[in-house]
Amino acid sequence: MPGRLRAHPLELPLQVVLIEPEIPQNTGNIARLCAATASPLHLVGPLGFRIDEKAVRRAGLDYWHLVDLHRHVSLSHFQHACPGANLFLFSAHAPRSYLEAPIGPGDALVFGRESVGLPAELLAAHALRVFAVPTLGAVRSLNLANSVGIVLFEALRRLGAMNQTFVD
């Protein structure tokens, strides 16, 4: 069987931050994405589901042990834990594309709840750092896991993480 195409992780990984995620399948997909990209996953605030060992095992998340997972009671708690991470917030209502976001190594990609996104006061407080993934069709918004994947892989590409691939 042929090997798998890999790339070396960033020295300062991107931080994926989910504020109060509600749908376990989305968080599971994002967790797999984080494990595949060596990006820590930060879950902030109350969750709409359980992530204890029994719940993870029942969901069949056999890669969960590969996720660099962190829990935070609030975004300020995350910022205290990762003081060098610039915040980049993503909202379906932002006027600028994620392709314009000046994301750097170690920065935080912040996404909100599936039902309502990020709180308005948080978006207002960081207005210059709010971006969207534009759509070509008339859908209301993209799935959270898809949005994280699009933004994360584009940031990794721009930071050079995909420049040297190898087969293991």
Side-chain angles (χ1 to χ4, degrees), residues 16-165:
V16 175
V17 180
L18 303 182
I19 308 273
E20 300 181 5
E22 301 165 310
I23 301 173
Q25 296 86 345
N26 278 334
T27 301
N29 287 332
I30 294 165
R32 171 171 275 178
L33 181 67
C34 288
T37 59
S39 302
L41 175 59
H42 300 267
L43 302 179
V44 176
L47 307 179
F49 49 87
R50 293 182 14 233
I51 59 168
D52 57 61
E53 185 178 338
K54 183 178 178 182
V56 168
R57 188 173 54 249
R58 187 174 50 242
L61 302 178
D62 59 340
Y63 53 84
W64 196 254
H65 67 284
L66 300 174
V67 180
D68 182 6
L69 181 65
H70 304 269
R71 290 292 313 272
H72 305 280
V73 295
S74 65
L75 186 59
S76 61
H77 184 265
F78 162 77
Q79 290 176 291
H80 181 74
C82 299
N86 295 309
L87 301 182
F88 290 91
L89 289 69
F90 296 90
S91 168
H93 304 289
R96 293 181 298 156
S97 169
Y98 73 105
L99 296 169
E100 299 174 45
I103 299 166
D107 285 346
L109 312 176
V110 182
F111 297 84
R113 293 167 49 192
E114 290 90 341
S115 63
V116 296
L118 292 167
E121 60 275 4
L122 180 62
L123 295 172
H126 299 277
L128 296 177
R129 292 186 177 263
V130 180
F131 300 89
V133 177
T135 59
L136 303 175
V139 298
R140 182 173 38 91
S141 62
L142 294 174
N143 171 277
L144 178 62
N146 291 337
S147 295
V148 173
I150 290 166
V151 172
L152 180 56
F153 268 93
E154 172 59 17
L156 289 169
R157 184 196 67 77
R158 274 199 267 152
L159 294 173
M162 304 301 175
N163 289 352
Q164 294 187 331
T165 58

